[in-house]
């Protein structure tokens, strides 16, 4: 009987393993306990751990010169007297829960971390192979035992002593630049390690007033963290993301500028599963520009983005349900209000750039050259593919030469769910209310190619009170269902769906210009 | 002793039966001329005004054979009447998607990953899968006449 029981346990474990799916270049991740945690407050108290460089004194005087800054200058020079660390990671290693790490002006390259090889031999066995992919991903044990193998600066909060996935040490840590502007404290990635700064199960993590650049994947990466505050950051030139938060909750993005990133400036992916009862991550005062995407979020659930700008990217804001294995699929329940989403017509999908990107690995590329990591429809404001119950309200969406908003269905099979009953469970219940389309602030016309482009699939999608050039919006289909009732179910328009399929074949090496795909040609400026 | 002989004979018969059953129900194989593919119904041709030489054809393809077939989008060829291969794409899907890995990671993807984004498909006998093809007719060239799948063929409507 005991043998039978053991056999059943083994079989159950095998089946559970087979049904789980993960292929994001992140380990299999889980949401933190939503009943705990909160956005950490900015703290002024507590003895800080001070980090400085040999030239910090000169840089303090330069950053805070003049009578206007005399008081702060004196405070910074006093702080310099207490400096004990030359590298941020060294201070993190000395930090305890609730500590503040204060970084004086300087350029931080973290030389000791750089010396640690990306493929550290002693952690070579600490990778997991996802069921649905063959790119091995580092386990949490890897992050604990070899924290600087893949991260220039690692804040690892959980220990291996218990299985609770909650922070045990270095929780509520504040890392703060003491410059006048973020630029005064610059952290430079080595273009080999995936993350420049990684907070992993580091509940209550705060990062403030720093400039972080050149991550081989992310400049800032916050994973499985309950409570985080990212404020006054500048995040340029990551190979993929300026900042990525994943399976994290109770978070705030505030005053962040992100540009030059090969996927998106900000990525609140696998967001909180509030299912429209709450917004677990607030994003405000973000300026994301000149990336491939200003914002993206696969399973970008439960976020509220407001008073931000997404402009001059290849496309502005993307939310989708494309991936398999991301927690929280399919995407639902995010809200965008009072944002400017405009002029997303930059085009990084050019032949010469494709060639350069293919032939030059990231570590050897020129810092400012952005290489697209995924394909996007150039000239689009919102790219909403397979999303549910989102609110897009009171935004200014203008001068996007292809379309202001694209709303498309994605079948459940794309996320590995082949249940016939689930195939139409995306692109439902989205509301577009009171947006100003094709109008700059002040009402000057700056038309989108078309304001709303919808594949006509989905239940309960509705439009109300959107205003366009001359008072009227443009759309395909020409008539959009009103709120609150919204659309009734119908199959998607095959011509619209089919026209996008060839774009899936894009590859800068083998298929830079797929037949039938218009996405990579900048649309002409619309005239009206 | 008689029992031993009988048991051996029964065992051999069982193994033989299993082998025969296996022969009648083989696993999937690549499409061949004896495993024809057919459009389930007339596919839709999508024309792109800004790309006048490009065509997109989307529909469902049915396996009219008695064997399951494995198909791979990379191996699909679009051929014109003169036997020339046109620049083309194929996906076993009727909607856009992309893989999980950026191209820069150089990951081929497992079968699960490739199947879910429509790079590969297995069609069991009598069943169908969505298929979208696109191609570019060269300047002065002619429209294609067929799609080739590892030796199998699918006529393209004119």
């Amino acid at each position: 009987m005991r043998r039978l029981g053991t056999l059943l346990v083994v079989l159950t474990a095998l089946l559970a393993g087979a049904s789980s799916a993960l292929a994001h270049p992140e380990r299999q991740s889980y949401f933190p306990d939503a009943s705990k945690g909160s956005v950490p407050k900015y703290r002024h108290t507590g003895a800080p751990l001070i980090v400085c460089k040999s030239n910090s004194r000169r840089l303090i005087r330069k950053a805070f010169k003049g009578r206007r800054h005399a008081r702060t200058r004196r405070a910074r020079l006093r702080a310099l007297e207490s400096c004990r660390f030359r590298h941020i990671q060294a201070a993190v290693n000395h930090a305890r829960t609730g500590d503040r790490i204060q970084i004086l002006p300087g350029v931080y390259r973290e030389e000791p971390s750089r010396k640690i090889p990306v493929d550290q031999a002693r952690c070579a066995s600490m990778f997991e192979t996802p069921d649905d992919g063959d790119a091995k991903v580092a386990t949490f044990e890897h992050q604990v035992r070899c924290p600087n193998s893949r991260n220039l600066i690692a804040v690892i909060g959980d220990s291996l002593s218990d299985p609770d996935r909650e922070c045990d040490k270095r929780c509520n840590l504040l890392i703060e630049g003491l410059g006048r502007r973020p630029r005064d404290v610059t952290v430079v990635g080595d273009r080999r390690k995936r993350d420049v700064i990684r907070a992993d199960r580091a509940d209550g993590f705060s990062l403030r007033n720093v400039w972080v650049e050149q991550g081989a994947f992310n400049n800032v990466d916050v994973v499985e963290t309950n409570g985080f505050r990212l404020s006054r950051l500048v995040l340029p030139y990551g190979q993929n993301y300026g900042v990525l938060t994943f399976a994290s909750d109770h978070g705030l993005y505030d005053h962040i500028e992100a540009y030059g990133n090969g996927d998106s400036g900000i990525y609140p992916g696998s967001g909180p599963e509030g299912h429209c009862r709450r917004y677990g991550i607030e994003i405000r005062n973000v300026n994301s520009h000149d990336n491939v995407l200003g914002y993206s979020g696969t399973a970008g659930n439960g976020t509220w983005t407001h008073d931000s700008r997404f402009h001059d990217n290849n496309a502005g804001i993307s939310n989708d349900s494309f991936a398999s294995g991301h927690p929280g699929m399919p995407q639902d329940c995010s809200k965008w209000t009072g944002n400017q989403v405009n002029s997303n017509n930059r085009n990084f999908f050019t032949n010469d750039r494709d060639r350069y990107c293919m032939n030059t690995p990231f570590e050897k590329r020129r810092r400012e050259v952005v290489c697209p990591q995924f394909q996007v429809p150039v000239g689009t404001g919102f790219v909403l593919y397979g999303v549910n119950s989102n609110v897009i309200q009171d935004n200014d969406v203008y001068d996007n030469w292809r379309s202001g908003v694209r709303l498309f269905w994605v079948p459940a099979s794309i996320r590995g769910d082949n249940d016939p009953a689930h195939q139409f469970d995306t692109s439902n219940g989205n509301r577009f209310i009171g947006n100003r389309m094709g109008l700059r602030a002040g009402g000057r016309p700056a038309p989108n190619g078309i304001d709303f482009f919808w594949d006509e699939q989905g239940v309960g999608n509705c439009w109300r009170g959107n205003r366009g050039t001359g008072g009227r919006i443009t759309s395909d289909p020409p008539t959009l269902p009103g709120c609150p009732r919204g659309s009734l179910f119908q199959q998607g328009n095959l011509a619209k769906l089919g026209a996008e399929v060839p774009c899936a074949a894009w590859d800068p090496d083998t298929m830079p210009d797929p037949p039938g795909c218009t996405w990579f040609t900048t649309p002409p400026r619309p005239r009206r | 002793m008689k029992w031993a002989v009988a048991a051996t004979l029964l065992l051999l018969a069982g193994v033989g039966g299993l082998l025969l059953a296996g022969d009648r129900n083989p696993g999937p194989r690549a499409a061949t001329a004896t495993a024809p593919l057919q459009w389930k119904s007339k596919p839709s041709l999508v024309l792109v005004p800004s790309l006048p030489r490009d065509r997109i054809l989307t529909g469902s393809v049915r396996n009219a054979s008695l064997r399951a077939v494995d198909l791979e989008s990379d191996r699909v060829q679009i051929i014109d009447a003169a036997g020339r291969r046109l620049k083309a794409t194929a996906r076993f899907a009727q909607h856009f998607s992309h893989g999980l890995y950026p191209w820069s990671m150089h990951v081929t993807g497992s079968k699960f990953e490739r199947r879910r984004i429509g790079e590969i498909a297995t069609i069991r006998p009598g069943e169908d899968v969505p298929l979208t093809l696109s191609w570019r007719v060269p300047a002065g060239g002619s429209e294609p006449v067929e799609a080739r799948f590892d030796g199998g063929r699918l006529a393209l409507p004119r």
Side-chain angles (χ1 to χ4, degrees), chain A residues 132 134 322 372-373 414 515-516, chain B residues 54 95 103-104 107 112 116 134:
Chain A
D132 53 357
D134 50 7
F322 285 140
Q373 300 299 299
I414 276 296
Chain B
D54 290 9
H95 46 77
W103 64 268
S104 55
V107 174
F112 174 91
R116 117 189 142 72
S134 75

Side-chain angles (χ1 to χ4, degrees), chain A residues 342-362:
Chain A
N342 66 283
S343 312
N344 292 292
N345 306 308
R346 285 213 68 178
N347 191 347
F348 296 145
F349 295 87
T350 55
N351 290 340
D352 52 347
R353 189 181 298 250
D354 282 343
R355 274 191 299 276
Y356 176 78
C357 293
M358 270 309 298
N359 296 325
T360 319
F362 181 68

Side-chain angles (χ1 to χ4, degrees), chain A residues 154-197:
Chain A
V155 180
I156 312 296
D158 194 13
S159 65
L160 297 171
S161 60
D162 60 55
D164 64 1
R165 294 193 296 272
E166 291 182 1
C167 191
D168 299 317
K169 56 185 178 181
R170 301 186 191 108
C171 318
N172 300 310
L173 191 68
L174 165 64
I175 298 180
E176 177 182 26
L178 290 186
R180 193 158 68 83
R181 302 163 306 165
R183 179 85 213 214
D184 296 332
V185 174
T186 297
V187 187
V188 182
D190 68 353
R191 303 183 73 91
R192 293 173 194 276
K193 296 185 191 292
R194 285 169 168 264
D195 295 339
V196 181
I197 299 178

Side-chain angles (χ1 to χ4, degrees), chain A residues 13 17 19 46 63 85 94 113 125 170 195 232 277 320 338 387 437 477 499:
Chain A
S19 65
F85 303 98
H94 278 78
S113 291
S125 63
R170 301 186 191 108
D195 295 339
R232 298 187 64 180
R277 290 186 297 274
D320 69 77
V387 302
M437 309 297 293

Side-chain angles (χ1 to χ4, degrees), chain A residues 21-25 29 31 246 267 269-270 298-299 323-330, chain B residues 100:
Chain A
L22 179 94
H24 184 274
S29 303
F31 289 115
F246 192 75
Y267 179 103
S270 280
T298 296
S324 151
H326 281 41
M329 296 287 270
Chain B
L100 292 159

